[in-house]
Every structure is written in structure tokens, then in C-alpha cells.
Amino acid sequence: MEIKTIQLDRSRLSTEYIASKQNFKQIVKCCEAPSISPFKSPLFFGAMGLSSLTLVVLLNMNEQPNTNEVLMKDRGVEMR
Amino acid sequence: MRCVLATVRTASLANKPEIKLNVMTVNPMYHQTNQRMEEELCWIKRAKENPESFGPLYRRYHEQIFRYIYQRMNDEETAFDVTSQVFMKALNNLHRYEFRGVPFSSWLYRIAKSELYQAFRDKKAERTVNIDSYQLFEIIEEFDEDNTEANKKKLFESLSKLKEKDMQLLELRFFEKRSFREIGEILDITENNAKVKSFRALEKLKKIFNQ
């Protein structure tokens, strides 16, 4: 960063003048809009993660053959 | 109103008695009592739930933050804009604020510093140093030189040759009379490091002044 100018004895602004420039309402208004997108919130990721995990577990359970059926087939026993 | 700072000496400073860094006035505006800090913590807690409760903090620090910014730039309107940006950012990030034993103002100053340098990078304002004549004379006294107009002019020229990082430390310590602790908090360095760096910056200035 380069220093462009050095000013000597610049006139001092009064406290009253600075106070007159306060605008708290504007600041609150600007901050009222949600700053974090709902898709980036930890709650969203948590819910998505949990539902994905449940889905994977459920799919795996359906795909696995019944162990009794396998054993019976191996032994040549027919199921009725 | 100014109070005298207790003697400050680090090992490295003790060996360099030619610059009197140990006795200096400190602006009491930046010092906070425990009661005031507790009061602020209540406001912060309320403001985290309702942004409207940030009002007392805004009114308390608006002038301080504005003066910090305006002291370092040339344009008044831009300084007011950057000040508003600082408070907007503070309010937006208030949920991240954690009390670590330092005043809330230190957190605001850090945001102000970052916003200020962003404004310089965006070319919204130019880095300016604003000094009063009495501050120049104080530094001349620090150097044990005579308070003459010639020395004032010489010091003014010497300041223009100083690097921005050193100037920043001199501004905080000698022009704004901040404590080393506060300088450390603003620059995110330790108190001891702030002492050493301030001393080195003053030494560099003295070296340029004596050339």
C-alpha cells in the first residue's frame, strides 16, 4: 500500500456533524435479508446426508438375498 | 483528558535509551471498564437475537470508527460509506463474534481495517496520512530535538519517506495515542510485538530524520 498524501492540520469534523450522519435504520434494513442461502445451511446438509444414508441402507437391505433361501438352495432342498 | 501510561519496557527496548517510548500519554477513550464490557456483552447477546438491539453499540462506536477511517483517507463521503459497511458487516457476522476478554471495539476496528484496505484496493479512496502540527512537535520532542519550524519541515519530509506499515504503527501509537495492547488487537499481533514494532518504526523515522 502506497501513501499518496500527507495532510497537515486538516480541519476536524465536529461530533455533532458525525452523529448527524448516523443511519442505523438503513444498516438494519440491509442486514434483514438472509445472508446464508438455505442450501448452504448446516441443517440442509444434515437432512440431506441423513436421508441419503437411509436410502442407501434401505436399498442394500432389499438387494441382499434371504440367507435361508441361499442355504436351502445350497443343500438342494426345494422350497414349498 | 489524558492519563500517563505505566512504564513500558521490553528487553530490546531497555537497551535503547535514546528514544523515550516508556512514558507516553494514552487516550483513555479506548480503555474500557469491566462494567462497560459486561454491558456491551448484554447488548451483543440481545443483538444476536434481534438486530434492532445493535443500536446502542452502533451509537457508541460510530464516531470512533468513522474517525479511524477518515484519518486514513482523503474523502469524507467515502469514509462515511466505509463506516456504514463496517457496521453492516459487524451486524451480519455478529453470530460469529465470541468474547475473548478484549473490548468489542477491537473486533470493530479489525473489520474497519479490512474494509479500509478493501476501499484502497477498489480505488474508492487514496491512502492519506493526517497529522496535526502538535503531533509533529511531540515526535520532535521524542527525538530530543528543538521544536523549530525547520525541524517540523524536516520531520514532515521524513514521514513521507516512511513505508506504510511503519506509518500505520506510528499513527496508532503516536498520533492516536493507543495502548500497545490495543494496537496488538487491531493489527492481530501480540502486545509485545506491537511494542517492538512501534519502537522500530520510530527508530526508522529517526534514522531518516537524521540523514
Side-chain angles (χ1 to χ4, degrees):
Chain A
M1 186 65 55
E2 195 190 333
I3 297 167
K4 299 278 181 186
T5 6
I6 300 182
Q7 286 186 350
L8 194 65
D9 296 326
R10 183 173 69 178
S11 59
R12 192 179 157 86
L13 297 177
S14 71
T15 301
E16 291 75 27
Y17 177 70
I18 297 168
S20 72
K21 294 276 184 175
Q22 286 187 4
N23 194 355
F24 183 60
K25 277 183 185 171
Q26 185 65 33
I27 282 164
V28 174
K29 207 176 162 186
C30 289
C31 294
E32 270 170 359
S35 54
I36 303 169
S37 156
F39 299 110
K40 286 179 184 171
S41 74
L43 201 71
F44 173 78
F45 281 111
M48 284 302 288
L50 202 68
S51 51
S52 308
L53 196 73
T54 316
L55 199 70
V56 168
V57 169
L58 282 172
L59 283 172
N60 273 345
M61 276 172 74
N62 284 341
E63 276 176 9
Q64 271 178 3
N66 190 330
T67 43
N68 280 343
E69 274 181 37
V70 175
L71 278 172
M72 284 172 186
K73 273 180 188 171
D74 285 349
R75 288 172 190 170
V77 181
E78 265 189 39
M79 279 193 48
R80 285 182 188 175
Chain B
M1 254 179 64
R2 281 175 185 171
C3 58
V4 176
L5 178 74
T7 303
V8 177
R9 253 175 207 278
T10 58
S12 60
L13 301 188
N15 300 329
K16 313 251 181 182
E18 68 272 18
I19 292 179
K20 295 176 280 180
L21 195 69
N22 54 338
V23 178
M24 199 184 138
T25 54
V26 171
N27 194 333
M29 189 166 93
Y30 309 113
H31 293 271
Q32 306 221 354
T33 58
N34 282 344
Q35 194 189 347
R36 201 173 141 132
M37 271 159 65
E38 275 170 26
E39 184 187 45
E40 281 185 359
L41 275 178
C42 286
W43 287 339
I44 294 162
K45 204 178 167 186
R46 267 183 251 151
K48 278 181 182 177
E49 288 155 13
N50 177 18
E52 293 279 348
S53 307
F54 191 71
L57 288 163
Y58 175 77
R59 283 184 284 278
R60 179 175 281 183
Y61 290 115
H62 179 267
E63 189 182 339
Q64 272 187 50
I65 297 295
F66 169 76
R67 287 200 190 277
Y68 170 83
I69 292 164
Y70 188 47
Q71 194 66 21
R72 288 155 178 80
M73 65 165 64
N74 50 349
D75 186 52
E76 186 191 307
E77 280 309 308
T78 315
F80 278 116
D81 285 348
V82 175
T83 308
S84 296
Q85 283 291 330
V86 171
F87 284 99
M88 269 186 238
K89 212 167 184 179
L91 196 51
N92 272 329
N93 292 292
L94 201 63
H95 62 279
R96 287 187 199 161
Y97 174 78
E98 280 173 29
F99 180 68
R100 287 175 188 165
V102 293
F104 181 67
S105 59
S106 301
W107 190 66
L108 284 178
Y109 276 117
R110 246 184 276 174
I111 298 174
K113 189 187 151 217
S114 137
E115 289 297 308
L116 184 68
Y117 282 84
Q118 190 57 51
F120 295 144
R121 280 193 292 273
D122 295 345
K123 303 207 186 300
K124 286 180 189 165
E126 285 185 346
R127 176 72 166 101
T128 312
V129 177
N130 290 288
I131 317 168
D132 291 330
S133 293
Y134 79 91
Q135 290 167 327
L136 285 180
F137 287 131
E138 276 179 5
I139 292 186
I140 292 169
E141 272 181 14
E142 225 31 71
F143 291 165
D144 280 335
E145 298 284 343
D146 294 328
N147 262 341
T148 59
E149 278 299 316
N151 274 341
K152 187 182 155 187
K153 200 180 168 192
K154 198 174 159 190
L155 182 63
F156 192 77
E157 282 163 11
S158 308
L159 280 166
S160 64
K161 290 175 190 163
L162 217 58
K163 282 183 184 168
E164 202 274 335
K165 275 191 173 181
D166 296 319
M167 181 62 93
Q168 183 178 238
L169 282 152
L170 291 181
E171 278 178 314
L172 290 166
R173 179 65 186 158
F174 296 98
F175 304 157
E176 291 165 18
K177 311 271 186 261
R178 290 173 200 267
S179 67
F180 289 119
R181 190 181 172 198
E182 202 190 7
I183 297 171
E185 282 158 12
I186 295 170
L187 301 179
D188 211 9
I189 53 176
T190 63
E191 187 180 344
N192 219 26
N193 205 355
K195 275 179 214 171
V196 175
K197 282 186 171 182
S198 304
F199 173 76
R200 283 182 190 155
L202 194 65
E203 265 210 328
K204 277 180 200 170
L205 181 64
K206 193 179 181 182
K207 205 175 166 184
I208 299 168
F209 181 81
N210 288 328
Q211 267 174 3

